[in-house]
Amino acid sequence: EVQLLESGGGLVQPGGSLRLSCAASGFSFSSYAMTWVRQAPGKGLEWVSLIRGSTDRTDYADSVKGRFTISRDNSKNTVYLQMNSLRVEDTAIYFCAKTYSSGWYYFDSWGQGTLVTVSS
Amino acid sequence: EIVLTQSPGTLSLSPGERATLSCRASQSVYNNYLAWYQQKPGQAPRLLIHGASSRATGIPDRFSGSGSGTDFTLTISRLEPEDFAVYYCQHHGSSPPPFGQGTKVEIK
């Protein structure tokens, strides 16, 4: 059974930094791209970033490009999201998800999310 | 960049009724790379459909997806109590992968 467990969320001031982690189990982690999707309070889903399994090639939404960095450690079955220069509008639940390659990617298993609050 | 518009915003139905949700793309979706997700309050999204019409593993057959080009539909043939939730469509043909704004299916 696929399990994804996010951690690292919390309250941070504008301009601050936070690193999210997502520990994966139940599948061959290094074989799959992993992604982060966020959801602001009461709002819809917004894709944030993706990292491929073998090449470490990454993609970012324009809203976070240059501020967020996605990475992975295949020896620890963990994907990370380093978030710098945080803004109030980055406040959201951050979900990590396992992907499946079809066209580009869809997201076939999701973690429960971790809440990031950016506020002074 | 494709923009997805879902309608209606809210659908009020009774258990046992048929639900029809629409997702319209601003330009043609190549190879019908369109997914649907269900999200219940306080929970993570769950993949229902990919490739416009392929059910994900473990998804009941009362959920079906259809459509091509710019117009896609998620149909729930007979609503069960656990189906009342928010549904999102997503284009999975290119990056960035946009989501629709969601349709809430609520109990009438």
Side-chain angles (χ1 to χ4, degrees):
Chain A
E1 179 193 2
V2 173
Q3 292 195 343
L4 300 168
L5 184 61
E6 302 95 335
S7 60
L11 175 64
V12 62
Q13 292 188 337
S17 298
L18 214 53
R19 188 175 86 152
L20 306 183
S21 300
C22 173
S25 62
F27 62 102
S28 179
F29 180 75
S30 61
S31 298
Y32 291 90
M34 297 294 293
T35 199
W36 290 93
V37 175
R38 69 184 180 183
Q39 186 170 37
K43 302 297 185 183
L45 302 172
E46 180 190 15
W47 172 76
V48 173
S49 184
L50 179 138
I51 184 167
R52 286 152 181 82
S54 54
T55 68
D56 279 355
R57 192 177 133 206
T58 58
D59 291 335
Y60 296 94
D62 286 345
S63 58
V64 307
K65 202 172 292 184
R67 300 187 298 123
F68 290 11
T69 302
I70 191 171
S71 62
R72 65 191 295 157
D73 185 339
N74 288 339
S75 69
K76 294 182 179 180
N77 287 0
T78 300
V79 61
Y80 305 97
L81 187 67
Q82 177 67 44
M83 305 185 294
N84 299 330
S85 302
L86 282 161
R87 305 168 179 167
V88 170
E89 55 265 35
D90 295 319
T91 295
I93 297 172
Y94 285 73
F95 298 100
C96 75
K98 172 182 167 290
T99 75
Y100 191 89
S101 178
S102 175
W104 190 69
Y105 297 94
Y106 60 81
F107 313 136
D108 62 356
S109 295
W110 298 62
Q112 284 304 301
T114 187
L115 176 62
V116 172
T117 303
V118 185
S119 174
S120 55
Chain B
E1 187 173 319
I2 289 179
V3 175
L4 300 177
T5 302
Q6 293 186 239
S7 61
T10 302
L11 200 49
S12 298
L13 295 168
S14 301
E17 289 194 293
R18 181 184 188 90
T20 303
L21 288 67
S22 172
C23 178
R24 178 162 290 177
S26 59
Q27 56 188 277
S28 186
V29 174
Y30 173 70
N31 223 22
N32 297 333
Y33 287 130
L34 197 287
W36 289 93
Y37 300 86
Q38 176 194 66
Q39 188 179 32
K40 299 178 184 178
Q43 295 187 18
R46 177 175 71 147
L47 175 69
L48 299 175
I49 301 285
H50 59 89
S53 60
S54 298
R55 266 189 303 277
T57 303
I59 301 303
D61 61 8
R62 64 179 180 273
F63 290 93
S64 62
S66 62
S68 63
T70 60
D71 291 304
F72 297 86
T73 300
L74 175 70
T75 301
I76 311 172
S77 58
R78 287 179 55 86
L79 282 165
E80 298 287 342
E82 62 268 26
D83 298 337
F84 292 91
V86 179
Y87 293 83
Y88 295 94
C89 58
Q90 179 226 341
H91 170 53
H92 61 90
S94 62
S95 176
F99 288 92
Q101 81 279 20
T103 290
K104 181 180 182 181
V105 179
E106 66 175 21
I107 299 176
K108 187 174 182 180

